[in-house]
């Protein structure tokens, strides 16, 4: 399935700068990832599609799977690729920070579109025109009643301006969204944010939500549910039942069924 992998110019200024053939191979194979960040292909297929010699391709992928202590990313010790199924095959990889950079590109495109269309300019202009209380919780109407005059100003009072409603994400919300597993269908992020506020009013913390999302993502990856409808919506995950507090331990690997050989049949003695 075709996907979308954004590439930022920071790739040229990081720890891969000047590394041959690792950096050019990395730039070549990133567009091959699907929407879940998986490059589910063999070395031979990738070599045939990209034109990279097999030995250079294997060398670069091996380096991309190694820890990088100087990487900007702390995920998986700075690794850029991990095997999808390390127990059964030595090919097929997942791009570690795929979801993080897709979300970063989405927010950048959203901000650019609002600026280009003038929507952001209109919002900022209205926000500047509306005086705010010190706590910025409501708009302050300006009227003649604010003066020291004793005259009746009810007819000439300036109409009260309604506050401009703007729903903003808390600082930790992006970290939660990046940690939460992908699912088929809408996540309902606004509904999930309201559920998070409700849990916070009960004494739970964003750190609990993010840690729970990481455990839940690892569980779904282990059972193969990532990207399907079997993943809970984020709103349900943060709901009153509080699934974010569960351990979400991955199931133990199944032992292969090994058939034991049949016992030898006793030999029948025949009369001589």
């Amino acid at each position: 399935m075709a996907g979308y992998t954004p590439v930022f110019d920071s790739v040229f200024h990081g720890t891969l700068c000047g590394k041959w053939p690792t950096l050019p191979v990395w730039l070549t194979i990133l567009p091959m990832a699907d929407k879940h960040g998986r490059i589910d292909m063999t070395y031979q297929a990738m070599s045939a599609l990209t034109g990279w010699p097999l030995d250079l391709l294997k060398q670069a992928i091996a380096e991309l799977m190694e820890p990088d202590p100087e990487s900007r990313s702390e995920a998986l010790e700075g690794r850029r690729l991990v095997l999808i199924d390390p127990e059964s095959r030595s090919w097929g990889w997942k791009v570690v920070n795929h979801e993080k950079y897709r979300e970063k590109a989405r927010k950048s495109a959203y901000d650019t579109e609002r600026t280009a269309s003038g929507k952001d300019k209109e919002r900022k202009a209205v926000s500047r025109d509306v005086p705010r209380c010190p706590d910025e919780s409501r708009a302050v109407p300006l009227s003649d009643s604010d003066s020291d005059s004793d005259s009746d100003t009810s007819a000439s009072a300036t109409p009260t301006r309604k506050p401009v409603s703007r729903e903003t994400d808390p600082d930790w919300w992006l970290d939660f969204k990046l940690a939460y597993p992908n699912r088929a269908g809408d996540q309902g992020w606004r509904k999930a944010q309201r559920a998070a506020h409700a849990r916070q009013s009960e004494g739970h913390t964003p750190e609990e939500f993010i840690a729970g999302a990481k455990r839940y993502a690892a569980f779904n990856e282990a059972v193969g549910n990532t990207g399907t409808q079997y993943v809970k919506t984020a709103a349900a995950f943060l709901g009153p039942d509080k699934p974010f507090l569960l351990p979400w331990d991955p199931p133990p690997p199944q032992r292969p069924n090994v058939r034991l050989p049949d016992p030898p049949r006793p030999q029948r003695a025949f009369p001589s």
Side-chain angles (χ1 to χ4, degrees), residues 16-204:
L16 290 182
C17 179
K19 287 190 176 182
W20 171 268
T22 311
L23 177 57
V25 166
W26 181 230
L27 295 173
T28 303
I29 67 177
L30 274 176
M32 303 168 71
D34 65 15
K35 67 177 182 179
H36 301 301
R38 295 175 299 201
I39 307 174
D40 200 5
M41 305 175 66
T42 63
Y43 288 106
Q44 290 77 10
M46 295 170 70
S47 176
L49 284 174
T50 63
W52 276 102
L54 197 57
D55 56 338
L56 293 180
L57 187 65
K58 288 184 175 181
Q59 174 188 336
I61 290 178
E63 292 182 7
L64 293 168
M65 293 174 62
E66 290 294 323
D68 185 353
E70 297 183 357
S71 173
R72 296 185 183 92
S73 173
E74 297 179 358
L76 297 179
E77 300 177 302
R79 290 178 172 86
R80 293 168 174 86
L81 290 176
V82 293
L83 286 169
I84 297 174
D85 189 2
E87 299 295 331
S88 61
R89 51 192 171 110
S90 61
W91 55 271
W93 300 267
K94 178 176 175 60
V95 179
V96 173
N97 285 321
H98 184 264
E99 291 85 357
K100 173 181 177 180
Y101 283 101
R102 280 196 64 165
E103 181 65 16
K104 182 178 178 181
R106 185 195 67 79
K107 290 180 70 67
S108 177
Y110 175 77
D111 293 341
T112 301
E113 188 276 332
R114 286 178 64 83
T115 301
S117 64
K119 294 179 181 178
D120 203 44
K121 183 178 179 180
E122 293 173 3
R123 177 188 61 78
K124 291 178 180 178
V126 172
S127 298
R128 284 194 298 268
D129 292 340
V130 179
R132 298 283 183 176
C133 291
D135 62 357
E136 296 187 356
S137 59
R138 62 183 180 87
V140 179
L142 297 179
S143 67
D144 293 339
S145 61
D146 294 330
S147 66
D148 294 332
S149 174
D150 294 332
S151 60
D152 184 8
T153 58
S154 59
S156 60
T158 303
T160 302
R161 291 180 177 175
K162 294 183 178 180
V164 178
S165 174
R166 183 190 177 198
E167 194 170 4
T168 58
D169 294 339
D171 294 338
W172 58 269
W173 187 245
L174 178 58
D175 292 332
F176 174 79
K177 292 175 69 174
L178 294 176
Y180 201 75
N182 290 325
R183 74 180 300 270
D186 185 24
Q187 286 280 21
W189 291 117
R190 288 303 176 194
K191 187 176 180 181
Q193 198 171 105
R194 291 192 290 271
H197 292 330
R199 301 292 81 76
Q200 285 182 282
S201 68
E202 298 169 357
H204 296 286

